[in-house]
Amino acid sequence: MTGFDAAAENLLSRRWMTWVAGVLMALAICAGYFLMPVFRGACQAHLPSLAKHWANDGRFSLVGFGTELIDEELWFAARVNNAALHFPAFDPYIRENRSRKQMTIDALTYLSMGSVQRVLGDVSASWLAIRFLCGVLWFVLIFRISRQAGQDPSRALFCATFVTGFSYVLTLLFLANIQWRLNFGALAHNAWAVLSYGRTEGLWRLPRPGVTYTFLFLAVTALIRATDGGGRWAVLSGILGGALAYVHVDVWSAYLVASWIFAALISWRQSRGH
């Protein structure tokens, strides 16, 4: 073990330090929002003819800002506000649309987000608060999952930072757009794609995957802990895994398959005496 690894293990072995790192990571992700008043002031000072045509005097909504999914985000935000007014959350635009399917899909997701909206009362502030909370929880939970999987603290720290900060790059850019040939042209393409990519999903896109994956990481954490024995963790992993059906159905389906594979691997390892 190197000196850096030893220092990291000593520091990150303290439970509170993991939460501090998660808060710092979430602040770094959300820092751009705090610069929005500066951007507004600069535009008003240097582009007054443009600024005078802004609606609401240029007080930008945080919902959808900086994404390419603004229409979707606004629909999500309307349903979050709907969930804050009454639960379950139905269609925020069509009063008569109160189907059982609408009632159950993403029920826990909108319950959690609607609770934040009910406290804050402003959908832009709620959106920022939810993103911040998800950033903290993603970091802490991924760090703990990595540690439970046998990673040392420095590698677990890297995994938590990378997945929290670059989840969209990890899941979509690398898998869909990276050129896998080993030549200079492909490497240059990949480097430029990573450096210039502008879309911000992952943690930024609520309710999925921002809020949804928080529930998923909780279920995974409980599932791994259940392998060490103890009925409480087994029951909790079952409850959390089952609740994913009301968080997002496709995440629940993937979790079911993954949990069966995980259980089969654990059983196989135990049968071999590992």
Side-chain angles (χ1 to χ4, degrees), residues 102-125:
Q102 186 80 21
M103 181 179 67
T104 56
I105 289 178
D106 297 349
L108 289 177
T109 301
Y110 284 103
L111 173 62
S112 61
M113 293 193 294
S115 299
V116 176
Q117 168 66 2
R118 192 173 183 86
V119 172
L120 297 180
D122 178 81
V123 72
S124 292

Side-chain angles (χ1 to χ4, degrees), residues 9-83:
E9 184 167 4
N10 180 54
L11 187 62
L12 292 171
S13 62
R14 304 170 185 177
R15 186 181 296 266
W16 59 268
M17 191 60 204
T18 308
W19 287 96
V20 169
V23 168
L24 292 175
M25 183 67 194
L27 284 174
I29 291 174
C30 297
Y33 288 106
F34 301 108
L35 296 176
M36 290 174 69
V38 179
F39 174 68
R40 172 175 170 265
C43 287
Q44 288 177 324
H46 299 286
L47 299 169
S49 59
L50 174 64
K52 70 179 182 180
H53 296 292
W54 284 342
N56 196 29
D57 195 29
R59 290 180 173 84
F60 309 112
S61 171
L62 298 179
V63 178
F65 179 81
T67 74
E68 297 176 8
L69 300 165
I70 187 166
D71 293 333
E72 274 192 354
E73 299 286 40
L74 292 175
W75 190 89
F76 292 152
R79 196 172 177 204
V80 169
N81 190 60
N82 181 275

Side-chain angles (χ1 to χ4, degrees), residues 116-137:
V116 176
Q117 168 66 2
R118 192 173 183 86
V119 172
L120 297 180
D122 178 81
V123 72
S124 292
S126 298
W127 217 251
L128 177 56
I130 294 166
R131 282 174 171 166
F132 176 80
L133 291 172
C134 286
V136 175
L137 291 173

